[in-house]
Amino acid sequence: MKAIIAVPATLGLVYRAYSHKSLTPLGIFAAALTATAHAVHPWNLPFVLLCVFFLAGTRVTKIKADVKAGLTLNAQGSAGGESARTHVQVLANSLMASILSLLHAYQLHLRRNAALSHGETAEGSFCYKWGGDLLVIGIIANYAAVCADTFSSELGILSRSSPRLITSFSLRKVPRGTNGGVTLWGLVAGFLGSMIIVAASLVFLPLCGDDTNGKAGGGNSWTIGQKATLAWGLSIWGALGSLLDSFLGGWFQRSVRDVRSGKIVEGEGGVRVLSSSVDAESQARGSVAEKATTDVKAKVLHGEGKEAVEKQPDPAMTVSSPKDPYDPKDKHRSSHFGDRKPTRVAESGWDLLDNNDVNFLMASIMSVGAMVLAGWYWEVPLDSILKA
């Protein structure tokens, strides 16, 4: 991408993120590095897709933000809603695309050097032909998937119907914001987000045309059917990325529900949310049972009445009393009601990944999967990504 376009565009993105407080300071720094990695590519496509995803994603985040803030809770106890995104969140969505963009830029560089310096005829083309470079498919698939996931999450939570847990055999209803919870409106919104990325790709992708047909480094002109196949295939694949994210989140990311409000608790910056001690409730039941046992012993050993007292053991043999559960100085105390019942419980999922891990894993799987599928359909070997 030409520097005269890339530099002011990058500065514009940074200023918008700063003025709208959509990114943290480290998030802005990570976004600037990501934009630079995309701008190194000789085509405008990678940088444009990054811009479209950023602008579209921040726009849907603001839609009915006040309503969405009341549907979940923040881990710190305040209302939920989307806060400024961190550098980890930026990289989770764009790191794979950055790697693929740099790899394809290097591939085009080798191809150009082979054509100019050695007079060799490159196997690939400088425009994008039908059955072309698989790395380009991976870049588009990455942004189609993460944009679909963003649209699905930000708009699906506003659905009038309750979400269903996609990893449950009974598809049970779950609170809004639950990882793995899906709605029909969320799936439609995800497909819309994927289509936006694919539409931008078709506009800025340097497709081979009649002017490149038969020339060195060129290719045959695209037919309408080929364009439609590419567009629909990538749009559906991106929407499937949103579903994959739901499965991964439902399986490997724990959703924590606040017992008092019934709302899902969200971690700041997509990090894990800690639930109350799993044995807090059993401790409360144990306290009740212990009291009943003590009353029986008092009657058997020392008579009845208010003055009946159980024999006390030797102080030297007693175990130190447990910590005060209400001591504000104890930073390791668990959250609970006055009766020791937990205030936060696990709604679904194993606590193996946080939201950022799930997003990066989903984006990587969808990018690599798209390249594998395109290579199979076009009969293009995967090792072509390493050749000029």
Side-chain angles (χ1 to χ4, degrees), residues 21-64:
K21 297 181 179 180
S22 54
L23 296 175
T24 63
L26 280 178
I28 293 176
F29 179 73
L33 289 181
T34 301
T36 302
H38 285 60
V40 168
H41 198 285
W43 296 354
N44 295 334
L45 176 70
F47 190 86
V48 168
L49 293 185
L50 174 66
C51 294
V52 171
F53 168 66
F54 173 73
L55 296 175
T58 53
R59 180 67 187 92
V60 296
T61 300
K62 302 297 182 182
I63 295 177
K64 293 187 177 182

Short mmCIF file of all heavy atoms in Angstrom, two decimals, residues 21-64:
data_model
loop_
_atom_site.label_atom_id
_atom_site.label_comp_id
_atom_site.label_asym_id
_atom_site.label_seq_id
_atom_site.Cartn_x
_atom_site.Cartn_y
_atom_site.Cartn_z
N LYS A 21 -12.37 6.73 22.73
CA LYS A 21 -12.01 5.87 23.85
C LYS A 21 -12.41 4.41 23.61
O LYS A 21 -12.84 3.70 24.52
CB LYS A 21 -12.64 6.38 25.15
CG LYS A 21 -12.16 7.76 25.56
CD LYS A 21 -12.81 8.21 26.86
CE LYS A 21 -12.29 9.58 27.27
NZ LYS A 21 -12.90 10.05 28.54
N SER A 22 -12.27 4.00 22.36
CA SER A 22 -12.63 2.62 22.00
C SER A 22 -11.48 1.65 22.26
O SER A 22 -11.69 0.43 22.29
CB SER A 22 -13.04 2.54 20.53
OG SER A 22 -12.05 3.10 19.69
N LEU A 23 -10.25 2.17 22.46
CA LEU A 23 -9.09 1.34 22.74
C LEU A 23 -8.31 1.92 23.91
O LEU A 23 -8.29 3.15 24.11
CB LEU A 23 -8.16 1.24 21.52
CG LEU A 23 -8.69 0.57 20.26
CD1 LEU A 23 -7.66 0.67 19.15
CD2 LEU A 23 -9.04 -0.89 20.51
N THR A 24 -7.68 1.06 24.68
CA THR A 24 -6.79 1.51 25.74
C THR A 24 -5.49 2.02 25.11
O THR A 24 -5.25 1.79 23.92
CB THR A 24 -6.48 0.35 26.70
OG1 THR A 24 -5.79 -0.68 25.97
CG2 THR A 24 -7.76 -0.22 27.30
N PRO A 25 -4.63 2.72 25.87
CA PRO A 25 -3.35 3.17 25.29
C PRO A 25 -2.53 2.04 24.67
O PRO A 25 -2.00 2.18 23.56
CB PRO A 25 -2.64 3.79 26.50
CG PRO A 25 -3.75 4.30 27.35
CD PRO A 25 -4.85 3.29 27.21
N LEU A 26 -2.43 0.91 25.38
CA LEU A 26 -1.73 -0.24 24.80
C LEU A 26 -2.50 -0.82 23.62
O LEU A 26 -1.89 -1.33 22.66
CB LEU A 26 -1.51 -1.33 25.86
CG LEU A 26 -0.35 -1.12 26.83
CD1 LEU A 26 -0.30 -2.24 27.84
CD2 LEU A 26 0.97 -1.00 26.09
N GLY A 27 -3.81 -0.73 23.66
CA GLY A 27 -4.62 -1.17 22.54
C GLY A 27 -4.37 -0.33 21.30
O GLY A 27 -4.32 -0.85 20.17
N ILE A 28 -4.21 0.98 21.50
CA ILE A 28 -3.91 1.87 20.38
C ILE A 28 -2.54 1.54 19.79
O ILE A 28 -2.35 1.52 18.56
CB ILE A 28 -3.96 3.34 20.84
CG1 ILE A 28 -5.40 3.72 21.21
CG2 ILE A 28 -3.43 4.27 19.77
CD1 ILE A 28 -5.54 5.12 21.76
N PHE A 29 -1.57 1.26 20.66
CA PHE A 29 -0.23 0.90 20.19
C PHE A 29 -0.27 -0.39 19.38
O PHE A 29 0.33 -0.49 18.31
CB PHE A 29 0.71 0.76 21.39
CG PHE A 29 2.10 0.36 21.02
CD1 PHE A 29 2.96 1.25 20.41
CD2 PHE A 29 2.56 -0.93 21.28
CE1 PHE A 29 4.26 0.89 20.06
CE2 PHE A 29 3.85 -1.32 20.93
CZ PHE A 29 4.70 -0.40 20.32
N ALA A 30 -1.00 -1.39 19.88
CA ALA A 30 -1.12 -2.66 19.16
C ALA A 30 -1.85 -2.46 17.83
O ALA A 30 -1.50 -3.09 16.82
CB ALA A 30 -1.86 -3.67 20.02
N ALA A 31 -2.86 -1.59 17.82
CA ALA A 31 -3.59 -1.33 16.58
C ALA A 31 -2.70 -0.64 15.55
O ALA A 31 -2.80 -0.92 14.35
CB ALA A 31 -4.81 -0.47 16.87
N ALA A 32 -1.82 0.27 16.01
CA ALA A 32 -0.90 0.94 15.10
C ALA A 32 0.09 -0.05 14.48
O ALA A 32 0.39 0.01 13.28
CB ALA A 32 -0.16 2.06 15.83
N LEU A 33 0.60 -0.97 15.30
CA LEU A 33 1.51 -2.00 14.77
C LEU A 33 0.78 -2.91 13.78
O LEU A 33 1.34 -3.28 12.73
CB LEU A 33 2.07 -2.83 15.92
CG LEU A 33 3.09 -2.16 16.84
CD1 LEU A 33 3.55 -3.15 17.91
CD2 LEU A 33 4.29 -1.64 16.05
N THR A 34 -0.46 -3.25 14.11
CA THR A 34 -1.25 -4.10 13.21
C THR A 34 -1.51 -3.40 11.89
O THR A 34 -1.40 -4.01 10.81
CB THR A 34 -2.59 -4.46 13.88
OG1 THR A 34 -2.34 -5.14 15.11
CG2 THR A 34 -3.44 -5.35 12.97
N ALA A 35 -1.85 -2.12 11.96
CA ALA A 35 -2.08 -1.35 10.73
C ALA A 35 -0.82 -1.27 9.88
O ALA A 35 -0.88 -1.35 8.65
CB ALA A 35 -2.58 0.05 11.09
N THR A 36 0.33 -1.13 10.53
CA THR A 36 1.60 -1.09 9.80
C THR A 36 1.87 -2.41 9.08
O THR A 36 2.30 -2.44 7.92
CB THR A 36 2.76 -0.78 10.76
OG1 THR A 36 2.50 0.46 11.42
CG2 THR A 36 4.09 -0.70 10.02
N ALA A 37 1.60 -3.52 9.78
CA ALA A 37 1.80 -4.83 9.17
C ALA A 37 0.90 -5.02 7.96
O ALA A 37 1.29 -5.67 6.97
CB ALA A 37 1.53 -5.93 10.20
N HIS A 38 -0.30 -4.47 8.01
CA HIS A 38 -1.22 -4.57 6.88
C HIS A 38 -0.83 -3.61 5.75
O HIS A 38 -1.02 -3.92 4.57
CB HIS A 38 -2.65 -4.27 7.33
CG HIS A 38 -3.29 -5.38 8.11
ND1 HIS A 38 -2.77 -5.86 9.30
CD2 HIS A 38 -4.41 -6.12 7.87
CE1 HIS A 38 -3.54 -6.83 9.75
NE2 HIS A 38 -4.53 -7.01 8.91
N ALA A 39 -0.30 -2.45 6.12
CA ALA A 39 0.05 -1.45 5.11
C ALA A 39 1.29 -1.84 4.31
O ALA A 39 1.50 -1.33 3.20
CB ALA A 39 0.27 -0.10 5.77
N VAL A 40 2.11 -2.75 4.86
CA VAL A 40 3.30 -3.21 4.14
C VAL A 40 2.92 -3.95 2.86
O VAL A 40 3.66 -3.93 1.86
CB VAL A 40 4.15 -4.10 5.07
CG1 VAL A 40 5.23 -4.83 4.29
CG2 VAL A 40 4.76 -3.27 6.17
N HIS A 41 1.76 -4.55 2.86
CA HIS A 41 1.30 -5.31 1.69
C HIS A 41 1.10 -4.36 0.50
O HIS A 41 0.56 -3.26 0.65
CB HIS A 41 -0.02 -6.00 2.02
CG HIS A 41 -0.36 -7.12 1.09
ND1 HIS A 41 -0.82 -6.91 -0.20
CD2 HIS A 41 -0.32 -8.47 1.25
CE1 HIS A 41 -1.04 -8.08 -0.78
NE2 HIS A 41 -0.74 -9.04 0.07
N PRO A 42 1.55 -4.76 -0.71
CA PRO A 42 1.41 -3.87 -1.87
C PRO A 42 -0.04 -3.62 -2.29
O PRO A 42 -0.31 -2.63 -2.97
CB PRO A 42 2.18 -4.60 -2.96
CG PRO A 42 2.26 -6.03 -2.52
CD PRO A 42 2.29 -5.98 -1.04
N TRP A 43 -0.95 -4.50 -1.92
CA TRP A 43 -2.36 -4.29 -2.24
C TRP A 43 -3.03 -3.50 -1.12
O TRP A 43 -2.58 -3.50 0.02
CB TRP A 43 -3.09 -5.63 -2.40
CG TRP A 43 -2.62 -6.47 -3.53
CD1 TRP A 43 -1.70 -6.14 -4.49
CD2 TRP A 43 -3.02 -7.81 -3.82
NE1 TRP A 43 -1.50 -7.17 -5.36
CE2 TRP A 43 -2.31 -8.22 -4.98
CE3 TRP A 43 -3.90 -8.71 -3.24
CZ2 TRP A 43 -2.45 -9.48 -5.55
CZ3 TRP A 43 -4.06 -9.96 -3.80
CH2 TRP A 43 -3.35 -10.34 -4.94
N ASN A 44 -4.12 -2.83 -1.47
CA ASN A 44 -4.89 -2.10 -0.46
C ASN A 44 -5.79 -3.00 0.38
O ASN A 44 -6.26 -2.60 1.44
CB ASN A 44 -5.77 -1.04 -1.14
CG ASN A 44 -4.95 0.03 -1.83
OD1 ASN A 44 -3.81 0.30 -1.46
ND2 ASN A 44 -5.53 0.65 -2.85
N LEU A 45 -6.02 -4.22 -0.10
CA LEU A 45 -7.02 -5.10 0.50
C LEU A 45 -6.83 -5.34 2.00
O LEU A 45 -7.78 -5.12 2.78
CB LEU A 45 -7.05 -6.44 -0.24
CG LEU A 45 -8.00 -7.49 0.35
CD1 LEU A 45 -9.45 -7.09 0.13
CD2 LEU A 45 -7.72 -8.86 -0.25
N PRO A 46 -5.66 -5.81 2.48
CA PRO A 46 -5.55 -6.11 3.91
C PRO A 46 -5.83 -4.90 4.80
O PRO A 46 -6.53 -5.01 5.81
CB PRO A 46 -4.10 -6.60 4.05
CG PRO A 46 -3.72 -7.08 2.70
CD PRO A 46 -4.43 -6.15 1.75
N PHE A 47 -5.29 -3.74 4.42
CA PHE A 47 -5.50 -2.55 5.24
C PHE A 47 -6.96 -2.12 5.23
O PHE A 47 -7.49 -1.70 6.26
CB PHE A 47 -4.61 -1.41 4.70
CG PHE A 47 -4.56 -0.21 5.61
CD1 PHE A 47 -3.65 -0.16 6.64
CD2 PHE A 47 -5.44 0.85 5.43
CE1 PHE A 47 -3.61 0.95 7.49
CE2 PHE A 47 -5.40 1.95 6.26
CZ PHE A 47 -4.47 2.00 7.30
N VAL A 48 -7.61 -2.23 4.09
CA VAL A 48 -9.02 -1.87 3.99
C VAL A 48 -9.87 -2.78 4.87
O VAL A 48 -10.78 -2.32 5.57
CB VAL A 48 -9.49 -1.92 2.53
CG1 VAL A 48 -11.02 -1.83 2.45
CG2 VAL A 48 -8.87 -0.78 1.73
N LEU A 49 -9.59 -4.08 4.85
CA LEU A 49 -10.36 -5.01 5.67
C LEU A 49 -10.18 -4.70 7.16
O LEU A 49 -11.14 -4.80 7.94
CB LEU A 49 -9.94 -6.44 5.38
CG LEU A 49 -10.27 -6.98 3.98
CD1 LEU A 49 -9.90 -8.45 3.88
CD2 LEU A 49 -11.74 -6.77 3.64
N LEU A 50 -8.96 -4.34 7.56
CA LEU A 50 -8.72 -3.96 8.95
C LEU A 50 -9.56 -2.74 9.32
O LEU A 50 -10.18 -2.71 10.40
CB LEU A 50 -7.23 -3.67 9.15
CG LEU A 50 -6.84 -3.10 10.52
CD1 LEU A 50 -7.09 -4.13 11.62
CD2 LEU A 50 -5.37 -2.66 10.52
N CYS A 51 -9.58 -1.75 8.43
CA CYS A 51 -10.35 -0.52 8.69
C CYS A 51 -11.85 -0.81 8.75
O CYS A 51 -12.55 -0.31 9.63
CB CYS A 51 -10.06 0.52 7.62
SG CYS A 51 -8.36 1.15 7.62
N VAL A 52 -12.32 -1.61 7.81
CA VAL A 52 -13.75 -1.93 7.78
C VAL A 52 -14.16 -2.68 9.04
O VAL A 52 -15.20 -2.38 9.65
CB VAL A 52 -14.09 -2.76 6.52
CG1 VAL A 52 -15.53 -3.29 6.59
CG2 VAL A 52 -13.91 -1.91 5.27
N PHE A 53 -13.34 -3.63 9.46
CA PHE A 53 -13.66 -4.38 10.68
C PHE A 53 -13.66 -3.47 11.89
O PHE A 53 -14.56 -3.55 12.75
CB PHE A 53 -12.65 -5.51 10.87
CG PHE A 53 -12.72 -6.14 12.24
CD1 PHE A 53 -13.85 -6.85 12.63
CD2 PHE A 53 -11.66 -6.03 13.13
CE1 PHE A 53 -13.93 -7.43 13.90
CE2 PHE A 53 -11.73 -6.60 14.39
CZ PHE A 53 -12.86 -7.30 14.77
N PHE A 54 -12.66 -2.59 12.00
CA PHE A 54 -12.58 -1.70 13.15
C PHE A 54 -13.77 -0.74 13.20
O PHE A 54 -14.41 -0.57 14.25
CB PHE A 54 -11.27 -0.91 13.11
CG PHE A 54 -11.17 0.15 14.16
CD1 PHE A 54 -10.96 -0.18 15.49
CD2 PHE A 54 -11.29 1.50 13.82
CE1 PHE A 54 -10.87 0.80 16.46
CE2 PHE A 54 -11.21 2.48 14.79
CZ PHE A 54 -10.99 2.13 16.12
N LEU A 55 -14.09 -0.13 12.07
CA LEU A 55 -15.19 0.84 12.04
C LEU A 55 -16.54 0.17 12.24
O LEU A 55 -17.39 0.66 12.99
CB LEU A 55 -15.16 1.61 10.71
CG LEU A 55 -13.92 2.48 10.47
CD1 LEU A 55 -13.96 3.09 9.07
CD2 LEU A 55 -13.81 3.56 11.53
N ALA A 56 -16.74 -0.97 11.56
CA ALA A 56 -18.02 -1.67 11.71
C ALA A 56 -18.18 -2.24 13.11
O ALA A 56 -19.27 -2.18 13.70
CB ALA A 56 -18.13 -2.78 10.67
N GLY A 57 -17.08 -2.79 13.66
CA GLY A 57 -17.15 -3.38 15.00
C GLY A 57 -17.44 -2.34 16.07
O GLY A 57 -18.26 -2.58 16.96
N THR A 58 -16.77 -1.19 16.01
CA THR A 58 -17.02 -0.15 16.99
C THR A 58 -18.41 0.45 16.83
O THR A 58 -19.03 0.87 17.82
CB THR A 58 -15.98 0.97 16.88
OG1 THR A 58 -15.92 1.46 15.52
CG2 THR A 58 -14.60 0.48 17.28
N ARG A 59 -18.93 0.44 15.60
CA ARG A 59 -20.27 0.99 15.38
C ARG A 59 -21.34 0.11 16.02
O ARG A 59 -22.23 0.61 16.72
CB ARG A 59 -20.54 1.14 13.88
CG ARG A 59 -21.91 1.71 13.57
CD ARG A 59 -22.01 3.16 14.02
NE ARG A 59 -23.36 3.69 13.89
CZ ARG A 59 -24.27 3.66 14.86
NH1 ARG A 59 -23.98 3.11 16.04
NH2 ARG A 59 -25.46 4.17 14.66
N VAL A 60 -21.27 -1.19 15.80
CA VAL A 60 -22.29 -2.07 16.38
C VAL A 60 -22.15 -2.15 17.90
O VAL A 60 -23.13 -2.43 18.60
CB VAL A 60 -22.23 -3.48 15.76
CG1 VAL A 60 -22.56 -3.44 14.29
CG2 VAL A 60 -20.88 -4.13 16.00
N THR A 61 -20.95 -1.91 18.41
CA THR A 61 -20.77 -1.91 19.85
C THR A 61 -21.56 -0.77 20.50
O THR A 61 -22.08 -0.91 21.62
CB THR A 61 -19.28 -1.77 20.21
OG1 THR A 61 -18.55 -2.87 19.64
CG2 THR A 61 -19.06 -1.77 21.71
N LYS A 62 -21.68 0.36 19.78
CA LYS A 62 -22.38 1.52 20.33
C LYS A 62 -23.90 1.41 20.20
O LYS A 62 -24.62 2.19 20.82
CB LYS A 62 -21.91 2.79 19.60
CG LYS A 62 -20.41 3.05 19.70
CD LYS A 62 -19.98 3.28 21.14
CE LYS A 62 -18.48 3.59 21.22
NZ LYS A 62 -18.04 3.77 22.63
N ILE A 63 -24.39 0.50 19.38
CA ILE A 63 -25.84 0.37 19.19
C ILE A 63 -26.49 -0.07 20.49
O ILE A 63 -26.18 -1.13 21.03
CB ILE A 63 -26.16 -0.64 18.06
CG1 ILE A 63 -25.65 -0.11 16.72
CG2 ILE A 63 -27.66 -0.90 17.99
CD1 ILE A 63 -25.87 -1.06 15.56
N LYS A 64 -27.40 0.77 21.00
CA LYS A 64 -28.12 0.51 22.26
C LYS A 64 -27.16 0.08 23.36
O LYS A 64 -27.42 -0.88 24.10
CB LYS A 64 -29.20 -0.55 22.05
CG LYS A 64 -30.34 -0.10 21.13
CD LYS A 64 -31.47 -1.11 21.10
CE LYS A 64 -32.61 -0.59 20.23
NZ LYS A 64 -33.76 -1.54 20.21
#
